[in-house]
Amino acid sequence: MWEWLVENAWLFWLLAMIVLAAIEMLTLDFVFLMMSAASLLAFGLSWVTDNFVIQVVAFALAAVLLIFLVRPIAVRRINRSTPGTVSNAARLIGLPCQVLDPVTARSGLVRLEGDTWSARSVTGEQLPVGTDVYVHEIEGATVLVAPHPAPTADGRPEPRPSF
């Protein structure tokens, strides 16, 4: 196995580059993209030298340099080009949802964007089935809801489009 790897190092680095790029498409964090670029360097180096140890060291050095030098610049540039964009759970705050199972300070269920979420009431009051409520906060897989919209930083309710 080791002999095959040494003889076909170019194929190993090509596959590593493809796999790391595919993982990057799932994570979108630029870490695996930098490692994929380092694999490209090792791929090119495999055509220059048959020494697999040199290829691995070059890959490791390139990956570390890319992750710590190039990645922060790329992340800053992406963040600067998309200001104010919220993602993941933060984008749900302020969205309307409907009570499916009575919501209390301890338990309940709501429908939020087509999904069923466990919910708790922010105010502590019981919210009956069918009540339209708004997401105030997310705690793990539980939404904290109230019958009025979540306020913005300036204290006013945030207008949200209804889809």
Side-chain angles (χ1 to χ4, degrees), residues 139-153:
E139 285 185 357
T142 302
V143 292
L144 301 170
V145 298
H148 48 82
T152 60

Side-chain angles (χ1 to χ4, degrees), residues 126-148:
Q126 181 168 341
L127 304 167
V129 173
T131 304
D132 292 323
V133 294
Y134 295 87
V135 177
H136 271 254
E137 195 177 337
I138 307 284
E139 285 185 357
T142 302
V143 292
L144 301 170
V145 298
H148 48 82

Side-chain angles (χ1 to χ4, degrees), residues 38-159:
S39 296
L40 179 62
L41 172 79
F43 171 76
L45 198 57
S46 71
W47 290 100
V48 176
T49 180
D50 288 337
N51 192 332
F52 192 69
V53 174
I54 291 174
Q55 295 168 25
V56 170
V57 169
F59 165 78
L61 288 173
V64 168
L65 288 174
L66 288 169
I67 288 170
F68 288 109
L69 297 178
V70 177
R71 182 182 173 275
I73 295 167
V75 169
R76 270 195 307 273
R77 180 169 274 237
I78 290 293
N79 289 340
R80 193 172 39 236
S81 69
T82 57
T85 302
V86 291
S87 61
N88 300 333
R91 74 173 186 77
L92 300 175
I93 295 173
L95 289 180
C97 49
Q98 189 171 46
V99 175
L100 298 176
D101 193 40
V103 175
T104 65
R106 305 183 105 201
S107 66
L109 293 175
V110 295
R111 180 164 312 282
L112 173 60
E113 292 195 324
D115 293 322
T116 302
W117 284 69
S118 58
R120 293 194 328 255
S121 173
V122 172
T123 60
E125 64 183 292
Q126 181 168 341
L127 304 167
V129 173
T131 304
D132 292 323
V133 294
Y134 295 87
V135 177
H136 271 254
E137 195 177 337
I138 307 284
E139 285 185 357
T142 302
V143 292
L144 301 170
V145 298
H148 48 82
T152 60
D154 61 4
R156 293 179 298 154
E158 181 176 339

